[in-house]
Amino acid sequence: MTTVSELIARSNRLGSDPVNTNYAGGNTSAKGTDADPVTGEDVELLWVKGSGGDLGTLTETGLAVLRLDRVRALRNVYRGVEHEDEMVAALEHCAFGPGGAAPSIDTFMHGLVDAQSVDHLHPDSGIAFATAADGEELTRAAFGDAVVWVPWRRPGIQLGIDIAELKERHPEAIGAILGGHGITAWGDTSDEAEANSLRIIRTAQEYLDAHGRPEPFGARVAANAALPPAERRAKAARLAATIRGIASHDRPMVGHFTDSDVVLDFLASEKAPALAELGTSCPDHFLRTKVKPMLLDLPADASVEDSIARLTELHEEYRADYTAYYERNKVADSPAMRGADPLIVLVPGVGMFSYGANKQTARVAGEFYINAINVMSGAESVSTYRPIDEAEKFRIEYWALEEAKLQRMPKPKSHATRIALVTGAASGIGKAIATRLASDGACVIIADLDLEKARAAAAEIGSTDVAVGLAVNVTDAAAIDAMVQEAVLAFGGLDIVVNNAGVSLSKPLLETTEQDWDFQHEIMAKGSFLVSKATAPILIEQGMGGDVVYIASKNSVFAGPNNIAYSATKADQAHQVRLLAVELGEHGVKVNGINPDGVVKGSGIFASGWGANRAKTYGIHEEDLGKFYAQRTILKREVLPENVANAVSVLTGPDLSHTTGLHIPVDAGVAAAFLR
């Protein structure tokens, strides 16, 4: 294997196991030679995981490639810790060849440590040592001379120099515990570095297991014990809208809910309030979770109403506390405060709500706080948990280099942070709508009578961080409530509700039975009413506005032949739009409708017999129905599901923020259905 292929393989093995490091945490490197394409001579190079990459999924394109002689020469121009940030820009002058990932702040350590391969990881067991009050003594007790202790220092060239010098003074050492941060290991080969990394992680955990107290978080608090699973998920769903509104006060957020045993046991412990107040320590942790969470200080059996009232009070206290933290620590060139809302909200007996700019970020924030719980558990089991102080946390959180990284992020898509529920979305128009909203950056819930088809449609759109499939019968209020509960627990809340579920029968008046009438009205008129009723409280409680869209029909205003039941229920839906636009407007919720016509391609309605009946009515072959509908329009164009999806995207996007109570025709132009 080549140097690069060995590095990629080692990185993937280490990064694929959460015992070794958190998502996108840590970095690996290797040194070797390659031919300079200009001189033809071999040059020493450093390959190192680039900024922001993930070890578990690292590929060659995620590596920064630098000339090793130039990286090491930076020591000659380094002016001291007061000026170390300027050295990051100097790394650009060390790059070898075009392309490559941006080098991370840890590149200096990898370049300056005299070893062929170097790993820097964030294992919970290692960080437990790093955050223990007597971490240096514990490191000596667990590792002897094999691992050295490095006091906390912010990542950068000086930390790299410190570690390199320690390695020179301790040639017997295989790695280091970095105070407040993580571990570093090295080796003369890739395999040796990996083995040393795993040895440190394993030895640290074995020491904790052998010497740790059985209840590191103190006595259990019976009043905060976990509620039964169904009860706690129901309570979580009822709190979700309030908590998402809290987390989104400064900017909209997507949420994730976790009720793992690790979280519930921590929240039921005596020390939970004090430890939560201390906050996290590893920079990777608090950059994702903020320096500390917001903890509801009520027992597990507190009512939803009391919990909401107290959460609202705690939010004001949290914002004031975070603002004071910012004001205490800011300096003249500090970036502006990025927001004072919590990213982690803990509810005893229920679980943890975590938030981010998208579902993956929200989920990872929750995973990082679980890492922090594990770290606190390890440190408290053998010592006292002592994270880095708040001034150092602030220096990391509001580091100019971190701000520059944030500024380089791509502009969010039009529907980023928005959560959309689409009924009848396993096929046809509904699936096209869900697909378009996901491509616009939204998280989507595919709700359909057929669960397997809903899940399959969601899987086509993306991972569960983007889309989930849920079962729902829109004629059943209880089924809708159950579906909405799962939806808000999946993504934290709702922003867009699309009433698309529908069926149709094509019959003249004298052949339309009472059952035909009830069948269509139950699913479309009553179904959309029930879905709107079940979701409106969430939109209102979040305080973030929102959109409700009804997929009505040209037939809501057009008097066509042989479809009295269908057209009448579509007219019902059309007027629901007007009524709800008036009622929900005071909460910032817009309600609009779309009137499609002749959407044959991919339509479940047309495939289930409606198409055959309409073709018979018009005296044509069913396969020609789409062309027939197109020729009777003004534009002579066939209407596709994607055309309807485009209209939903525009209605719910930023450009029509002041439009409500509107019906948009998507029918290629049917003069008899013009709205007037």
Side-chain angles (χ1 to χ4, degrees):
M1 296 177 73
T2 66
T3 300
V4 171
S5 61
E6 284 185 337
L7 172 59
I8 295 296
R10 177 174 104 242
S11 302
N12 293 163
R13 287 192 298 269
L14 289 170
S16 63
D17 188 346
V19 169
N20 299 331
T21 199
N22 46 258
Y23 173 80
N27 29 70
T28 51
S29 68
K31 302 177 183 75
T33 60
D34 201 357
D36 187 321
V38 176
T39 66
E41 298 178 354
D42 281 349
V43 292
E44 285 191 288
L45 298 177
L46 170 69
W47 290 270
V48 59
K49 192 207 82 169
S51 178
D54 174 54
L55 288 174
T57 55
L58 184 67
T59 62
E60 188 170 349
T61 58
L63 295 174
V65 188
L66 305 99
R67 285 191 54 142
L68 186 57
D69 60 342
R70 296 180 70 84
V71 173
R72 289 177 168 168
L74 291 176
R75 292 186 68 167
N76 301 328
V77 296
Y78 173 47
R79 300 193 295 155
V81 291
E82 298 84 2
H83 307 281
E84 70 172 336
D85 285 2
E86 68 189 26
M87 303 305 293
V88 176
L91 286 173
E92 297 178 12
H93 300 282
C94 303
F96 177 79
S104 77
I105 192 65
D106 290 311
T107 298
F108 300 105
M109 175 189 66
H110 289 275
L112 299 179
V113 169
D114 185 18
Q116 190 273 342
S117 293
V118 179
D119 297 331
H120 167 57
L121 303 169
H122 300 149
D124 295 346
S125 62
I127 305 175
F129 277 66
T131 57
D134 52 351
E136 185 171 5
E137 291 77 15
L138 289 170
T139 299
R140 189 178 302 112
F143 298 99
D145 296 333
V147 175
V148 295
W149 172 266
V150 181
W152 161 259
R153 184 182 290 281
R154 188 174 64 163
I157 189 171
Q158 188 60 56
L159 178 60
I161 292 171
D162 292 348
I163 297 173
E165 291 178 348
L166 276 169
K167 182 183 182 302
E168 290 175 8
R169 293 199 301 271
H170 299 274
E172 74 284 0
I174 64 168
I177 299 289
L178 311 185
H181 190 166
I183 74 165
T184 291
W186 46 75
D188 292 331
T189 66
S190 184
D191 287 344
E192 185 178 15
E194 181 178 359
N196 287 340
S197 291
L198 296 176
R199 175 182 166 187
I200 294 173
I201 295 167
R202 182 181 63 253
T203 301
Q205 188 60 58
E206 289 173 350
Y207 186 91
L208 295 174
D209 292 341
H211 297 85
R213 290 183 288 274
E215 294 187 350
F217 294 143
R220 292 182 62 80
V221 179
N224 291 337
L227 296 172
E231 185 178 346
R232 69 174 176 257
R233 288 183 67 81
K235 186 173 181 180
R238 293 184 65 190
L239 295 176
T242 298
I243 299 177
R244 184 180 181 221
I246 285 171
S248 302
H249 183 275
D250 289 323
R251 58 179 61 89
M253 293 285 176
V254 176
H256 177 72
F257 174 69
T258 305
D259 60 349
S260 66
D261 290 344
V262 172
V263 173
L264 293 170
D265 289 346
F266 173 66
L267 293 177
S269 72
E270 178 186 21
K271 294 184 181 180
L275 290 171
E277 183 65 22
L278 287 175
T280 54
S281 185
C282 177
D284 260 23
H285 294 176
F286 63 74
L287 284 173
R288 299 271 192 160
T289 66
K290 264 200 168 72
V291 290
K292 63 182 178 182
M294 189 175 98
L295 170 65
L296 178 62
D297 52 0
L298 292 179
D301 63 356
S303 69
V304 169
E305 294 73 21
D306 287 347
S307 298
I308 288 174
R310 184 58 181 148
L311 284 165
T312 303
E313 293 173 351
L314 288 171
H315 182 216
E316 292 304 314
E317 294 174 14
Y318 188 98
R319 288 180 60 81
D321 183 66
Y322 186 86
T323 301
Y325 152 79
Y326 177 85
E327 294 295 331
R328 279 193 305 272
N329 294 286
K330 72 176 183 179
V331 294
D333 60 349
S334 292
M337 188 169 69
R338 301 189 191 103
D341 301 320
L343 294 179
I344 302 291
V345 179
L346 303 171
V347 181
V350 175
M352 172 175 61
F353 298 82
S354 54
Y355 295 90
N358 52 56
K359 171 66 176 187
Q360 183 194 54
T361 304
R363 175 176 53 77
V364 169
E367 292 172 1
F368 276 32
Y369 198 76
I370 290 176
N371 290 133
I373 292 173
N374 292 335
V375 166
M376 290 186 281
S377 175
E380 286 286 317
S381 74
V382 294
S383 178
T384 301
Y385 174 66
R386 184 176 295 170
I388 60 175
D389 64 37
E390 74 161 34
E392 286 300 306
K393 290 180 182 179
F394 184 88
R395 289 183 69 213
I396 294 285
E397 186 177 4
Y398 286 93
W399 200 356
L401 299 178
E402 184 66 27
E403 181 69 13
K405 184 191 297 184
L406 294 173
Q407 295 302 320
R408 290 195 300 268
M409 294 181 69
K411 182 180 178 182
K413 294 183 178 181
S414 62
H415 288 61
T417 75
R418 306 207 77 196
I419 303 161
L421 165 66
V422 186
T423 64
S427 63
I429 291 174
K431 185 177 179 181
I433 292 169
T435 302
R436 173 58 192 267
L437 293 177
S439 72
D440 289 337
C443 300
V444 294
I445 297 103
I446 311 293
D448 200 273
L449 188 62
D450 189 320
L451 177 59
E452 292 308 311
K453 289 183 178 178
R455 288 175 173 171
E460 285 183 40
I461 291 173
S463 72
T464 53
D465 285 338
V466 176
V468 296
L470 298 176
V472 68
N473 178 349
V474 296
T475 70
D476 183 340
I480 293 170
D481 288 342
M483 179 270 295
V484 171
Q485 172 178 307
E486 292 305 308
V488 299
L489 291 180
F491 295 117
L494 290 173
D495 299 294
I496 300 169
V497 178
V498 182
N499 281 305
N500 170 73
V503 294
S504 187
L505 300 172
S506 175
K507 292 182 179 180
L509 172 63
L510 298 183
E511 294 179 15
T512 301
T513 67
E514 182 178 348
Q515 289 75 24
D516 294 335
W517 179 273
D518 289 343
F519 176 66
Q520 296 194 73
H521 280 72
E522 282 278 311
I523 293 173
M524 291 185 287
K526 178 184 174 182
S528 54
F529 154 71
L530 290 175
V531 170
S532 296
K533 183 179 180 181
T535 55
I538 297 167
L539 300 175
I540 294 168
E541 179 63 24
Q542 287 175 157
M544 300 166 64
D547 286 275
V548 179
V549 179
Y550 280 65
I551 307 302
S553 170
K554 170 216 65 175
N555 288 326
S556 65
V557 293
F558 174 77
N562 299 342
N563 64 356
I564 182 171
Y566 176 81
S567 296
T569 195
K570 285 299 181 182
D572 185 315
Q573 285 186 309
H575 200 48
Q576 285 186 40
V577 168
R578 303 181 186 97
L579 294 168
L580 296 187
V582 172
E583 187 170 341
L584 298 179
E586 66 179 288
H587 304 290
V589 177
K590 303 187 287 109
V591 186
N592 293 289
I594 295 173
N595 289 349
D597 182 49
V599 184
V600 179
K601 183 179 178 181
S603 169
I605 288 178
F606 276 91
S608 63
W610 170 266
N613 286 328
R614 301 314 292 166
K616 181 179 179 181
T617 297
Y618 297 119
I620 60 174
H621 295 295
E622 185 177 358
E623 60 268 24
D624 296 329
L625 192 58
K627 296 177 181 178
F628 171 81
Y629 282 139
Q631 290 306 308
R632 74 182 188 181
T633 69
I634 296 169
L635 296 176
K636 302 295 187 286
R637 298 173 185 168
E638 184 174 356
V639 181
L640 303 175
E642 290 74 18
N643 303 133
V644 182
N646 294 342
V648 174
S649 175
V650 173
L651 272 176
T652 58
D655 293 334
L656 289 184
S657 60
H658 290 58
T659 299
T660 192
L662 174 70
H663 277 277
I664 297 181
V666 183
D667 57 12
V670 178
F674 282 175
L675 298 172
R676 53 191 183 271

